[in-house]
Amino acid sequence: MAQVTVQIDGKAYRMACEEGQEGHLEELAAGFDRYVGHLKSQFGEIGDLRITVMAGIMVMDELNEVTRRLARLEKETEELRKGREGVMSEVSRNEEAIALALTELTGQIQGMAAKLNGKPPVN
């Protein structure tokens, strides 16, 4: 386990993390420190615990919003996927119908050409 010291509200906190995750943990702590700083600038010194709880709630509110947006996007993606499958199925049916029509048309053209040339039609 790696050790990293982060600063939140001017206080140092020594934390353990997985090897290679030190930078990520420092970024998270810096982001949380910004929340704490923002709240302190708005409310003043109302107590470390209260500020920390308020910052935690703000983070959870943002996480909740992101989770809702992600769920909405996943639903839209699934709907688009289903719509695409329907369209592709329709395209496939249309291609089959066109191929059949072209085959019939080819037979008719060959029959007309044979009649014009005075030859029996080829089947």
Side-chain angles (χ1 to χ4, degrees):
M1 277 270 159
Q3 296 284 323
V4 67
T5 301
V6 298
Q7 295 283 325
I8 297 176
D9 194 27
K11 297 172 189 72
Y13 296 91
R14 187 167 177 81
M15 306 184 86
C17 62
E18 304 250 345
E19 292 290 333
Q21 294 297 310
E22 298 89 347
H24 180 63
L25 182 58
E26 289 169 345
E27 288 175 19
L28 293 173
F32 192 75
D33 185 53
R34 284 190 293 277
Y35 279 98
V36 170
H38 170 74
L39 289 170
K40 275 191 142 180
S41 71
Q42 289 208 333
F43 298 106
E45 292 294 332
I46 60 172
D48 290 345
L49 182 59
R50 188 169 182 190
I51 290 285
T52 302
V53 169
M54 290 171 68
I57 289 172
M58 287 176 65
V59 169
M60 291 306 299
D61 183 48
E62 284 188 20
L63 176 62
N64 183 270
E65 176 62 27
V66 168
T67 301
R68 283 197 322 266
R69 288 178 61 199
L70 177 61
R72 189 171 54 247
L73 289 171
E74 286 174 339
K75 182 180 177 185
E76 287 177 24
T77 300
E78 185 58 30
E79 289 170 358
L80 289 171
R81 186 175 292 117
K82 286 178 182 176
R84 179 184 176 275
E85 289 170 3
V87 168
M88 293 307 291
S89 178
E90 182 68 23
V91 166
S92 180
R93 284 192 301 275
N94 288 342
E95 287 175 346
E96 289 172 11
I98 290 170
L100 180 61
L102 287 174
T103 300
E104 290 174 4
L105 186 58
T106 300
Q108 291 173 0
I109 291 171
Q110 288 174 344
M112 285 189 268
K115 284 181 185 178
L116 289 172
N117 291 329
K119 298 178 185 175
V122 178
N123 288 329

